[in-house]
Amino acid sequence: MSISSSFPLLQRLQFIQSSGKVLSCRAMAMSTSEGDVYVGTTERGLTQELQFPVPWGHIAGKAWGDPLGRPVLGLHGYLDNANTFDTLAPLLPKDLYFVSLDLPGHGRSSPIPPGTGYKNESYLIDVHRVVQALGWKKFSLIGHSMGGSVAIMYSAVFPSSVERLTLLDMSGPVDRPLEGTVERLQDAVKRRFEVEKTSELPPHVYSRTEALHKLLKGNPWVTREAGAVLLERGSREVEGGFVYTRDLNLKNLSFFSLTPEQAEELVKGVKCPVLMLRATQSVRNALEEERGKRFLPLFKANSSQFTEIQVEGNHHVHLNSSEVVAPHISTFFSQDTPTQPPQSKL
């Protein structure tokens, strides 16, 4: 459905209620000759599809719960989509209204115009477009990986709007050292032209089994069942099979990225309570450990409340084993929100 600014929010959100109580967080997947097929939450009456108009098309999303509930926005990781929260959302407190987005170029959202590039700073603006369309004045954020980086940026730039911030296997904004800038720019320019040339070709059509196999090969952290969950929203059926919906231009390297100093300034700007769930088998674990040593003291010194918990699993533990993650988030949402952050010393 499309979100229009001409009607009140409750009239715009025709929410489809579930016909029964959610008893399990397991993905509704079945094995067929074509591989695993995931029955999406919308088809099961558990969520409602949303579309938010933007100048180049629309941003897609899906919503769980009562629109009058406590608002929460979910942001997925790189090359994933809104389905990344499909197993987690049913296990969270029932008084939440949880909207999960497909960031531009992912899932069912429109790609950005040809010749332009994707950047976390642009996603910050895209998220704000959605927040304004929803009319939210105060809400919480749950972000995984790249989505966590965007959520940190939003929390710093709009501190009065964010009530709580949950980070799933992301210890701070994505940054790169000053050294190597020239080499990265060289690679980015080369990659841009390579991807644009590939984008001119017809999309490759896969069988369902082939599409799932390719997804799992590119993302070794998801189980086969979890891969089917992501594929349901990350592909569409065409004559002869399935094509991926994500924009090939997402593979372009960013021309520039945050410096470590800029990333640290953003972390200092986060004033709300923060829950950081770090996986024991985190992707690029050595790098995450180094980033954690820089960012964790800043979160502790500047946020009104900071909790770090290590959970057993890998980078996609929130999707693979949501029952491990959900109790910590539920506890976080049941706590009183501190109104004043501590006096920063960093």
Side-chain angles (χ1 to χ4, degrees), residues 181-199:
T181 297
V182 173
E183 291 78 6
R184 288 195 295 271
L185 276 173
Q186 291 172 338
D187 290 341
V189 173
K190 178 182 177 182
R191 183 66 171 167
R192 172 64 62 86
F193 283 97
E194 290 176 348
V195 172
E196 285 183 357
K197 187 175 182 180
T198 304
S199 299

Side-chain angles (χ1 to χ4, degrees), residues 314-330:
N314 64 22
H315 190 53
H316 278 72
V317 62
H318 68 286
L319 176 59
N320 296 329
S321 306
S322 53
E323 69 279 0
V324 174
V325 172
H328 300 297
I329 300 178
S330 297

Side-chain angles (χ1 to χ4, degrees), residues 16-73:
I16 300 177
Q17 298 292 341
S18 170
S19 58
K21 185 178 180 180
V22 178
L23 300 178
S24 172
C25 66
R26 292 185 61 78
M28 300 282 288
M30 54 187 174
S31 181
T32 71
S33 60
E34 279 292 293
D36 292 334
V37 179
Y38 175 65
V39 181
T41 54
T42 303
E43 287 75 9
R44 288 185 278 140
L46 301 176
T47 60
Q48 171 64 41
E49 285 293 314
L50 304 176
Q51 284 190 3
F52 304 91
V54 292
W56 62 91
H58 69 268
I59 294 174
K62 58 195 299 185
W64 287 262
D66 186 343
L68 291 177
R70 290 187 288 168
V72 181
L73 191 65

Side-chain angles (χ1 to χ4, degrees), residues 208-231:
R208 191 187 300 276
T209 300
E210 291 171 335
L212 180 57
H213 177 74
K214 183 176 175 63
L215 185 151
L216 295 174
K217 185 177 180 181
N219 192 342
W221 305 287
V222 299
T223 64
R224 185 177 182 87
E225 187 178 55
V229 175
L230 293 175
L231 185 64

Side-chain angles (χ1 to χ4, degrees), residues 157-341:
V157 175
F158 301 100
S160 63
S161 298
V162 181
E163 186 172 15
R164 299 176 190 275
L165 170 63
T166 300
L167 300 174
L168 302 173
D169 210 38
M170 168 55 69
S171 56
V174 175
D175 60 6
R176 291 175 180 170
L178 186 62
E179 297 77 10
T181 297
V182 173
E183 291 78 6
R184 288 195 295 271
L185 276 173
Q186 291 172 338
D187 290 341
V189 173
K190 178 182 177 182
R191 183 66 171 167
R192 172 64 62 86
F193 283 97
E194 290 176 348
V195 172
E196 285 183 357
K197 187 175 182 180
T198 304
S199 299
E200 296 173 357
L201 302 174
H204 191 90
V205 179
Y206 301 91
S207 70
R208 191 187 300 276
T209 300
E210 291 171 335
L212 180 57
H213 177 74
K214 183 176 175 63
L215 185 151
L216 295 174
K217 185 177 180 181
N219 192 342
W221 305 287
V222 299
T223 64
R224 185 177 182 87
E225 187 178 55
V229 175
L230 293 175
L231 185 64
E232 186 267 340
R233 198 170 182 91
S235 65
R236 59 183 174 86
E237 191 168 5
V238 297
E239 184 177 355
F242 296 82
V243 296
Y244 289 111
T245 58
R246 64 186 181 226
D247 187 3
L248 283 178
N249 287 298
L250 286 165
K251 296 182 179 180
N252 282 327
L253 298 174
S254 298
F255 278 32
F256 288 101
S257 60
L258 296 172
T259 65
E261 293 79 9
Q262 289 174 321
E264 290 167 11
E265 282 298 305
L266 286 169
V267 172
K268 290 178 184 179
V270 177
K271 305 302 180 184
C272 65
V274 177
L275 171 63
M276 181 180 291
L277 298 177
R278 304 181 73 192
T280 55
Q281 304 164 42
S282 177
V283 59
R284 298 189 301 274
N285 197 46
L287 175 60
E288 278 300 297
E289 286 299 320
E290 185 276 329
R291 287 159 54 81
K293 290 178 181 178
R294 287 195 291 124
F295 294 130
L296 266 61
L298 300 179
F299 277 120
K300 292 176 182 178
N302 293 277
S303 63
S304 57
Q305 175 186 313
F306 178 77
T307 305
E308 179 198 6
I309 299 175
Q310 193 170 70
V311 293
E312 187 64 37
N314 64 22
H315 190 53
H316 278 72
V317 62
H318 68 286
L319 176 59
N320 296 329
S321 306
S322 53
E323 69 279 0
V324 174
V325 172
H328 300 297
I329 300 178
S330 297
T331 299
F332 183 52
F333 273 90
S334 69
Q335 298 169 348
D336 292 334
T337 304
T339 56
Q340 294 294 330

